[in-house]
């Protein structure tokens, strides 16, 4: 993935480590990024469309940076700066007074960003109800509310830009996921996600001045340079997905366009975020069971009815196979290879209405000529340090030797935190290495992060 960064904002947010192009290039190299190009918006347009089209366009210097495919947190300027600051251990600045000299000394200490749950003033949590009709076109949806924010022009632009970059990358150009953001104070919950025939959906699209039916909206954007690329996702469906508020106001028709009524602005203080998707995370039975030396019946895997391919037989119960397959596809890259993923796994749960439950997991792997158990153990320690969980058996975390078919005998440990088992770490068994077509040792860590959310 490629990201453009304005150098003025970057130097303001990352002082002393980006004083020159050469220094920033070196910092990126140390961090594992590549400064691919130094250019400007004017230069880009001039190359693509000619000098005439570039007249009056900004000539502010931009850095074009290649971002790893699994580092979506680096796709916005704020995430990139935070990552570099953590790498240089400069997130929090502390002024320390030296009594003997009566002088102040700057000391730097890393602290993870803090987010907290805020209840709405009336105490009622917003809800998004998913109707059965959506199963025919785009069956999944989640929502969240971001409260008490302050937008300025740079933050607003970065917010919108990040949403678009996510659409182009992890969301697979909206075919897998579409994200809608709305000014919560302009609408009223609870919200309803449903699907209707195109002629029954009518609303004023974003930045338009009149109301259109869904059929008319598709025709309206058929020549639009941006939105025309997404029309094919739903245009042949008998029903189109749509999200309403409690008053019948249309928030969005995913994955095409939001309604104009709920658009965010610099004055927005509370943001309603909705994400609709075409499927849950899927995997093959061989990946989550056979290759890891586990019987499929012991995995609590949710089986997919009438899967299109063997890759879609079951929902994944572990993130590890996906990372190992990624390593297998990149074996020619220089060692060591270090990958991680934070995502959901799905397991059967008879207490849930749908018979299954999502769990958020974190998985990391270290692939090198030596097993690297101490590396993966050190990563666990660092994660717990950032979560402020101390290393003790009473109220903190600890590891205990165990056996697991996916790991080398005597080189596996179970991880405990907050009084419960949260996962395993260790050196993978040679059979697992071979089945995933790998050639050198690999250590891995996988934990549930539900207790820390």
């Amino acid at each position: 993935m490629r990201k453009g960064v304005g150098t003025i904002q970057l130097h303001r947010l990352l002082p002393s480590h980006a004083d020159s192009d050469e220094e920033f290039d070196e910092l990126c190299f140390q961090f594992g990024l590549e400064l691919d190009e130094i250019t400007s918006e004017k230069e880009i347009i001039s190359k693509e469309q000619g000098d005439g089209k570039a007249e009056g366009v900004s000539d502010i210097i931009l850095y074009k940076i290649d971002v790893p495919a699994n580092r979506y947190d680096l796709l916005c300027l704020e995430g990139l700066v935070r990552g570099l600051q953590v790498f240089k251990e400069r997130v929090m600045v502390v002024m320390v007074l030296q009594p003997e000299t009566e002088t102040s000394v700057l000391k730097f200490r890393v602290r993870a960003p803090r987010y907290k749950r805020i209840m709405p003033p009336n105490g009622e949590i917003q809800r998004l109800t998913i109707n059965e009709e959506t199963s025919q076109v785009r069956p999944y949806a989640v929502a969240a509310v971001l409260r008490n924010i302050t937008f300025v022009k740079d933050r607003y632009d970065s917010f919108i830009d990040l949403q678009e970059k996510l659409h182009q990358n992890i969301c697979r150009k909206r075919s897998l996921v579409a994200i809608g953001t709305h000014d919560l104070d302009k609408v009223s919950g609870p919200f309803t996600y449903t699907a209707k025939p195109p002629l029954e959906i009518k609303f004023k699209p974003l930045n338009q001045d009149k109301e259109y039916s869904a059929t008319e909206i598709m025709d309206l954007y058929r020549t639009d340079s941006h939105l025309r690329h997404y029309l094919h996702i739903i245009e042949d469906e008998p029903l189109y997905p749509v999200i309403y508020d409690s008053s019948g106001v249309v928030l969005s028709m995913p994955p095409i366009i939001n309604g104009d009524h709920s658009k965010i602005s610099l004055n927005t203080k509370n943001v309603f975020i909705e994400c609709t998707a075409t499927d849950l995370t899927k995997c093959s039975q061989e990946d989550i069971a056979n290759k890891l030396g586990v019987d499929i019946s012991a995995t609590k895997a949710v089986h997919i009815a009438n899967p299109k391919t063997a890759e879609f037989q079951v929902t994944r119960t572990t993130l590890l196979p996906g990372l190992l397959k990624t390593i297998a596809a990149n074996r020619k890259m220089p060692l060591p290879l270090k990958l991680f993923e934070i995502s959901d796994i799905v397991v059967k749960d008879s207490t849930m209405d749908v018979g299954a439950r999502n769990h958020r997991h974190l998985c990391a792997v270290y692939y090198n000529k030596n097993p690297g158990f101490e590396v993966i153990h050190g990563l666990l320690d660092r994660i717990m340090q950032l979560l402020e969980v101390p290393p003790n058996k009473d109220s903190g975390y600890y590891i205990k030797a165990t056996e697991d078919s996916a790991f080398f005998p005597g080189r596996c440990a179970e991880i405990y935190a907050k009084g419960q088992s949260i996962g395993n770490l260790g050196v993978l068994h040679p059979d697992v290495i071979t089945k995933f077509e790998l050639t050198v040792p690999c250590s891995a860590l996988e934990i549930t992060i539900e207790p820390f959310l």
Side-chain angles (χ1 to χ4, degrees):
M1 296 181 288
R2 211 182 203 205
K3 170 171 180 55
V5 177
T7 57
I8 293 178
Q9 291 176 279
L10 182 68
H11 291 313
R12 175 170 54 83
L13 295 173
L14 197 66
S16 79
H17 287 302
D19 290 336
S20 68
D21 296 342
E22 292 75 17
E23 286 187 17
F24 184 68
D25 187 16
E26 178 61 24
L27 177 59
C28 286
F29 178 78
Q30 293 174 5
F31 186 62
L33 303 177
E34 181 181 352
L35 179 57
D36 189 58
E37 185 181 3
I38 301 174
T39 183
S40 68
E41 186 177 353
K42 185 173 185 176
E43 184 177 347
I44 294 172
I45 294 178
S46 179
K47 287 180 179 178
E48 295 177 352
Q49 304 178 30
D51 294 339
K53 296 287 186 180
E55 289 185 11
V57 177
S58 171
D59 57 1
I60 294 176
I61 298 298
L62 296 175
Y63 288 151
K64 294 290 184 180
I65 304 169
D66 280 335
V67 176
N70 64 336
R71 292 301 304 269
Y72 306 107
D73 58 309
L74 303 180
L75 287 177
C76 63
L77 176 64
E78 294 80 2
L80 175 64
V81 168
R82 178 183 295 149
L84 292 173
Q85 285 177 327
V86 170
F87 177 67
K88 301 301 291 186
E89 299 187 345
R90 289 202 51 160
V91 167
M92 189 175 73
V93 180
V94 181
M95 294 294 295
V96 179
L97 182 65
Q98 304 286 355
E100 61 275 11
T101 60
E102 295 187 354
T103 59
S104 295
V105 176
L106 280 177
K107 291 191 176 181
F108 303 102
R109 187 165 74 241
V110 174
R111 175 169 290 180
R114 293 177 177 272
Y115 307 97
K116 61 181 180 180
R117 181 181 179 185
I118 300 176
M119 292 297 293
N122 60 7
E124 295 184 8
I125 297 175
Q126 295 290 350
R127 296 185 181 277
L128 174 66
T129 300
I130 304 173
N131 288 355
E132 185 178 353
E133 291 81 0
T134 62
S135 63
Q136 301 180 47
V137 57
R138 203 173 182 87
Y140 304 105
V142 295
V145 174
L146 188 61
R147 297 186 182 275
N148 301 338
I149 64 173
T150 300
F151 276 133
V152 294
K153 184 64 166 58
D154 288 344
R155 290 180 186 175
Y156 177 86
D157 291 345
S158 183
F159 184 84
I160 299 298
D161 184 56
L162 175 60
Q163 182 177 335
E164 184 55 31
K165 282 188 169 66
L166 291 173
H167 273 150
Q168 294 302 310
N169 292 283
I170 191 174
C171 299
R172 301 296 187 268
K173 297 183 178 180
R174 304 192 191 184
S175 62
L176 180 62
V177 178
I179 306 168
T181 54
H182 312 272
D183 191 323
L184 181 62
D185 298 317
K186 294 180 180 179
V187 291
S188 57
F191 303 94
T192 302
Y193 176 45
T194 187
K196 292 185 175 183
L199 291 175
E200 295 183 16
I201 302 173
K202 294 184 178 180
F203 65 101
K204 184 165 71 170
L206 185 66
N207 298 326
Q208 296 295 324
D209 55 8
K210 68 175 185 178
E211 191 175 87
Y212 297 86
S213 70
T215 302
E216 293 170 329
I217 288 173
M218 299 296 273
D219 290 335
L220 177 67
Y221 293 118
R222 205 164 297 283
T223 57
D224 185 274
S225 61
H226 178 55
L227 295 179
R228 64 185 174 90
H229 300 291
Y230 310 121
L231 302 184
H232 70 92
I233 300 173
I234 63 170
E235 65 178 342
D236 294 328
E237 300 290 343
L239 303 179
Y240 285 4
V242 61
I243 297 177
Y244 294 97
D245 79 348
S246 60
S247 301
V249 174
V250 172
L251 275 70
S252 71
M253 186 177 76
I256 309 303
I257 190 73
N258 286 353
D260 189 71
H261 180 84
S262 60
K263 68 180 178 182
I264 64 174
S265 68
L266 292 179
N267 297 321
T268 297
K269 295 298 180 184
N270 302 294
V271 178
F272 178 73
I273 305 171
E274 40 87 0
C275 300
T276 59
T278 53
D279 61 55
L280 295 172
T281 301
K282 297 173 182 174
C283 198
S284 75
Q285 175 176 319
E286 184 181 15
D287 287 339
I288 69 167
N290 303 353
K291 289 183 179 180
L292 298 179
V294 179
D295 190 290
I296 188 65
S297 62
T299 64
K300 295 185 178 180
V302 177
H303 291 254
I304 307 298
N306 302 315
K308 292 182 179 180
T309 71
E311 287 290 306
F312 292 165
Q313 291 174 326
V314 291
T315 57
R316 60 182 179 177
T317 57
T318 168
L319 303 182
L320 180 59
L323 291 182
L324 295 180
K325 290 168 77 172
T326 301
I327 289 179
N330 292 274
R331 285 176 308 218
K332 294 182 180 179
M333 297 292 289
L335 297 178
L337 295 181
K338 296 180 281 187
L339 283 76
F340 79 93
E341 180 179 2
I342 298 176
S343 191
D344 280 6
I345 58 103
V346 183
V347 294
K348 292 178 181 177
D349 187 339
S350 59
T351 66
M352 302 296 291
D353 293 340
V354 295
R357 179 189 295 273
N358 283 34
H359 291 279
R360 183 61 55 86
H361 272 210
L362 179 154
C363 185
V365 294
Y366 178 82
Y367 182 71
N368 201 6
K369 293 179 180 179
N370 55 67
F373 180 85
E374 70 285 354
V375 175
I376 215 74
H377 190 186
L379 175 62
L380 172 67
D381 292 339
R382 178 57 174 162
I383 292 169
M384 292 301 166
Q385 180 186 41
L386 291 174
L387 292 172
E388 298 184 349
V389 180
N392 63 64
K393 290 188 176 182
D394 297 327
S395 59
Y397 77 99
Y398 64 96
I399 63 174
K400 182 179 179 181
T402 190
E403 295 297 326
D404 187 300
S405 59
F407 294 91
F408 196 86
R411 299 291 285 171
C412 176
E414 190 168 5
I415 306 165
Y416 293 85
K418 297 193 173 184
Q420 60 185 295
S421 172
I422 62 169
N424 288 350
L425 83 162
V427 178
L428 293 181
H429 196 285
D431 290 347
V432 174
I433 298 293
T434 301
K435 289 176 181 177
F436 279 94
E437 300 179 358
L438 305 179
T439 56
V440 299
C442 183
S443 56
L445 155 75
E446 183 162 2
I447 61 174
T448 174
I449 59 174
E450 296 285 339
F452 310 107
L453 298 179

